[in-house]
Amino acid sequence: MTTPPINFDEDINRIGTHSVKWDMMEKIYGVPADQGISMWVADMDFRPPAVVQKALQSMLDHGIYGYYGDDASYKDAIRWWMKTRHGWEVDAGAIFTTHGLVHGTAMCVDAYTQPGDGVVLFTPPVYHAFARVISAAGGREVVEMPLVNNNGRYEYDFDAYDAAMTGKEKMVILCSPHNPGGRVWTREELEGVAAFAKRHDLVLVSDEIHHDLVMPGNTHIPMATLPGGIEDRLVMMTATTKTFNMAGSHVGNVIIHDEGGLRAKFGGGRMAAMGISANSFGLFMAEAAYSPPEGADWVDQLVAYLDGNRRLFDEGGINAIPGLSSMGLQATYLAWVDFTNTGMSRDEFTKRTEQQARIAANHGPTFGLGGDSFLRFNLATPRARVAQAVERMQAAFGDLQ
Ligand SMILES: Cc1ncc(COP(=O)(O)O)c(C=O)c1O
C-alpha cells in the first residue's frame, strides 16, 4: 500500500444532491431520508479516489469542455487495469465506450438480436435492468433459466436449461460476479456457461461490472481468459463506475475481440447508426481511476472495508435474527437477505423493514419472481450506518429472538 489510509468512515451527507439513492427513497419506499437509512440502488456513499477528483479539478481549472479526441491513453489505462488486476490482455481496437453498461446491454440486444428472438438470463435473481432493456427492445423475449439456491449459494443446472431451450434464443447475458447473491463463478461454472452458449449457438454477453469488488479469498476469472474458442461469440462488458463510485459519469466499456461479425455489428454498425460518442467527463475520470498506485490502492482499501461491513452485517447482525439469512457474499456490496424462515408475508417483512427499521432496501421481486422472500441491502456506506441498520433490524424483528 503506497497511499495513505482512506477514511471510508466519513459520513458525507448526500441529501439534496440529486442522488437517486437518497433523494428518491421517500418517494419509492416511503422512508424519509432524514430519519432513514438508504440501502437500495447500487452506488456507494464514498468519494472516489483523490486522483479522480484531481482529474475533474484540472478540467474545471482549464474551463473548456469541448469534444473529446485521441482516446489512446484512455484505452491504455483500461488495458493496463485488465492486465495487472485481472490477467487479461485487451486489444485497444476491441474497446467501445458506451454510456454505461445498461446502455451497453441495450446495444448488444439491438445489435445481435431481432424481434422474435429470445435472450437467456440466469434468474432469479439477476440485475433487473437486463430484463428491462430486453423487454423494451420490441419483440424480444426474456427467457429465464433458474439458478438453484443450494443452501444459500446460487448454482447452475445446465441439464434443465438444455431441456428448456426452444431454438429461438440468440443471446445469453451472464452476470459475473453475480448481482444479487454475490457469487464469484468458478472456472468450471464459467466453462459450463461457455459450453451452453456454444451448444445453442448464442452470443455470450458477460457483464463483469462487479469484477473489482471481490471479497478476500475469492478470485474473479474474466470470461475472456477461458481457453476453448469462445472469442467469436463473446462480448465482454466492464466499467470503472461501480468500482470507483462514479456511476453518474455514465461510461462503460464493451470489449469485443472478434474482428469479424461481432465487432462490426456493434461498432461500425449500431454505435455508428445511433451517433454515439463518449462523454469527456467520464473518460477523464475513468483514465485517472485506472492508475497506479492511487486508483489501485484505493480499490484494495475499499474491498477490505466492504469485507468488514459484510461481516458486521451478516455474522454479527442479520444472521443472528432467527428466520433471517444473508447470503454469503463472495463479491459485490449487495447483501441478499432471505426472510422465508420468518414465516411472514412479503408485505409484513417489507413493512417492518421500511416502517419500523426505516431502511430503504430493494424489493426481491425486482430481480425476478423467485426473489419474493428477499430484500437486497447495499452495504457500501460508513460502517457506523451498517451497525445502525443492524440494530434497527434487530429491533424491528425483535419478537423473533
Ligand atoms: C450487473 C450490473 N450491470 C450494470 C449495472 C449498471 O451499469 P451502468 O451504471 O454502467 O449502466 C449494474 C448496477 O448495479 C449492475 O449491477
Side-chain angles (χ1 to χ4, degrees), residues 157-343:
D157 180 354
F158 292 109
D159 290 341
Y161 309 153
D162 285 342
M165 293 293 277
T166 64
K168 67 171 183 250
E169 302 82 3
K170 294 290 180 288
M171 181 188 288
V172 53
I173 304 178
L174 172 71
C175 192
S176 175
H178 197 80
N179 164 28
R183 273 302 315 278
V184 170
W185 303 117
T186 63
R187 181 171 295 281
E188 292 68 32
E189 286 168 326
L190 293 172
E191 283 169 355
V193 173
F196 171 77
K198 268 194 199 172
R199 266 197 307 284
H200 299 283
D201 194 18
L202 307 174
V203 174
L204 169 54
V205 176
S206 190
D207 178 335
E208 306 196 3
I209 198 168
H210 294 280
H211 64 170
D212 293 313
L213 306 175
V214 171
M215 296 300 129
N218 299 280
T219 305
H220 169 77
I221 302 172
M223 183 54 97
T225 61
L226 285 192
I230 45 164
E231 201 169 88
D232 61 343
R233 64 180 68 253
L234 180 62
V235 175
M236 296 284 289
M237 301 203 302
T238 67
T240 42
T241 50
K242 198 65 58 186
T243 307
F244 294 96
N245 200 33
M246 38 202 226
S249 70
H250 274 291
V251 61
N253 290 297
V254 176
I255 302 177
I256 307 171
H257 274 108
D258 173 55
E259 290 187 46
L262 288 188
R263 199 186 284 185
K265 273 189 190 154
F266 193 92
R270 301 315 296 160
M271 289 277 286
M274 293 186 185
I276 292 161
S277 59
N279 163 344
S280 66
F281 291 90
L283 296 189
F284 268 90
M285 291 168 80
E287 180 174 337
Y290 276 165
S291 61
E294 293 97 321
D297 283 352
W298 187 91
V299 176
D300 292 338
Q301 294 191 44
L302 170 74
V303 169
Y305 191 85
L306 293 174
D307 188 40
N309 282 5
R310 170 185 77 93
R311 286 172 194 280
L312 173 66
F313 187 79
D314 289 0
E315 293 157 22
I318 294 301
N319 289 341
I321 305 173
L324 271 64
S325 171
S326 179
M327 217 174 242
L329 292 181
Q330 297 175 319
T332 82
Y333 48 74
L334 303 163
W336 185 236
V337 178
D338 190 355
F339 291 77
T340 308
N341 293 332
T342 60

Side-chain angles (χ1 to χ4, degrees), residues 92 119 130 135 181 193 231 316 338 371 374 396 401:
V119 181
F130 294 156
S135 305
V193 173
E231 201 169 88
D338 190 355
F374 288 84
Q401 302 290 339

